[in-house]
Amino acid sequence: MEVKNGSVEERIINASFHILEKEGFSGATTKKIAEKAGVSEVTLFRKFESKEKLISIAKEHYSTDFIEKLTEIFQYTPEISVEEYLTQCFNKLVNLTDNELTILKVGMEEVRDIPTDKKVFLRISETIIDELTKFFSLKIEQKELREINPSILALNMFSIMFESIILWKVYGKQPKYNIDRYTEDFLDIILNGIKSDNK
C-alpha cells in the first residue's frame, strides 16, 4: 500500500504504530487508534478493513524505512579498511534516535505465531548480516582478512554490535565508560583476538 505524506492513511498508520509500541497488539484497539489519528473508526475500517491488516501495514511501513536506513549505515567503498568500516557502522548505529529504533521494540515483542517470513526483527537481522557478509567477503578477496567464513564472521559481528545497541538504546542499560573507548576495545578484541602473546 502506497502511503502519501500527510494523508489520512499516514495518520492512521502512525497512530497505530505508536499505540502498538506502548500498549502491544491487544492494547492497540481500533478505538484508541482512531482517536489518536483524529478519525472515526468507520474511516479506519474503510481504509484498512481490519485491525490485523492495519497493524501489518504499519509494521511493514516502519520496518521498510528502518531497513533502508540500515542499508545506508552498512554501505562501504572497496577502499575502506575493516577497522574504519566497523567503527563507522557502530557509531552510526549508536547514534540512531529512539524514534528510529521504535521498530526494534515492536519487532522484539512479536508473538510466536507470526510466520517467520513476516517477522520484523528477522528482516532487520538478515539485512545487516547480508551487508556484513558482502563486506567481509570483499576484504578476504583483498587479503585484508585471512581466509575465514565471511557468513560466520558477519553473524558474530552482528550479534556483538546489535546486542550492544539493544541494551543501550532499547533497554537503557548504558555502558560504564565512553562509547569511543567501547568501540576501540570491541575492535581490538575482534581484530587481535583474546589469546595472550605470553606463553
Side-chain angles (χ1 to χ4, degrees), residues 152-169:
I152 300 296
L153 179 56
L155 181 59
N156 278 276
M157 194 63 60
F158 163 77
S159 301
I160 295 165
M161 291 171 92
F162 230 62
E163 187 59 31
S164 298
I165 302 309
I166 288 166
L167 281 172
W168 302 341
K169 304 288 270 185

Side-chain angles (χ1 to χ4, degrees), residues 5 31 39 43 59 71 85 96-97 101 105 138 156 197:
N5 286 341
K31 182 178 179 182
V39 299
T43 301
K59 282 165 54 173
T71 303
Y85 175 69
L96 287 170
T97 65
L101 290 166
K105 295 176 189 173
L138 173 68
N156 278 276
D197 288 337

Side-chain angles (χ1 to χ4, degrees), residues 19-189:
I19 291 172
L20 181 66
E21 181 214 348
K22 288 181 174 59
E23 303 189 35
F25 183 82
S26 58
T29 64
T30 53
K31 182 178 179 182
K32 286 179 186 172
I33 293 167
E35 274 178 24
K36 185 158 182 69
V39 299
S40 68
E41 279 188 274
V42 173
T43 301
L44 187 147
F45 284 114
R46 195 175 73 244
K47 299 281 185 186
F48 294 97
E49 297 171 20
S50 69
K51 172 184 160 178
E52 289 74 16
K53 187 172 179 184
L54 169 58
I55 296 298
S56 176
I57 289 169
K59 282 165 54 173
E60 176 65 26
H61 178 75
Y62 274 80
S63 61
T64 298
D65 285 351
F66 189 63
I67 286 169
E68 283 174 11
K69 182 80 177 170
L70 288 175
T71 303
E72 284 174 28
I73 287 173
F74 285 90
Q75 279 181 351
Y76 57 87
T77 60
E79 302 79 32
I80 194 169
S81 72
V82 173
E83 189 169 359
E84 189 182 349
Y85 175 69
L86 293 176
T87 301
Q88 175 182 290
C89 292
F90 195 76
N91 288 336
K92 286 181 180 177
L93 285 173
V94 167
N95 288 312
L96 287 170
T97 65
D98 289 345
N99 195 44
E100 289 169 321
L101 290 166
T102 300
I103 188 64
L104 282 184
K105 295 176 189 173
V106 170
M108 290 168 68
E109 291 168 5
E110 289 175 322
V111 290
R112 289 180 184 270
D113 60 355
I114 295 176
T116 302
D117 62 339
K118 298 286 186 189
K119 289 192 176 178
V120 169
F121 195 73
L122 181 63
R123 287 181 57 214
I124 290 167
S125 303
E126 286 175 342
T127 298
I128 297 170
I129 292 166
D130 288 348
E131 292 299 319
L132 286 169
T133 301
K134 285 186 261 183
F135 176 74
F136 291 136
S137 296
L138 173 68
K139 290 302 162 182
I140 290 166
E141 280 176 34
Q142 293 176 338
K143 307 291 186 204
E144 194 174 329
L145 293 174
R146 65 185 176 87
E147 287 285 336
I148 49 177
N149 185 323
S151 300
I152 300 296
L153 179 56
L155 181 59
N156 278 276
M157 194 63 60
F158 163 77
S159 301
I160 295 165
M161 291 171 92
F162 230 62
E163 187 59 31
S164 298
I165 302 309
I166 288 166
L167 281 172
W168 302 341
K169 304 288 270 185
V170 176
Y171 294 117
K173 196 149 179 67
Q174 291 298 317
K176 293 182 175 148
Y177 50 87
N178 179 287
I179 296 292
D180 291 338
R181 161 94 188 279
Y182 182 96
T183 306
E184 286 170 21
D185 288 350
F186 152 70
L187 287 173
D188 179 46
I189 292 165

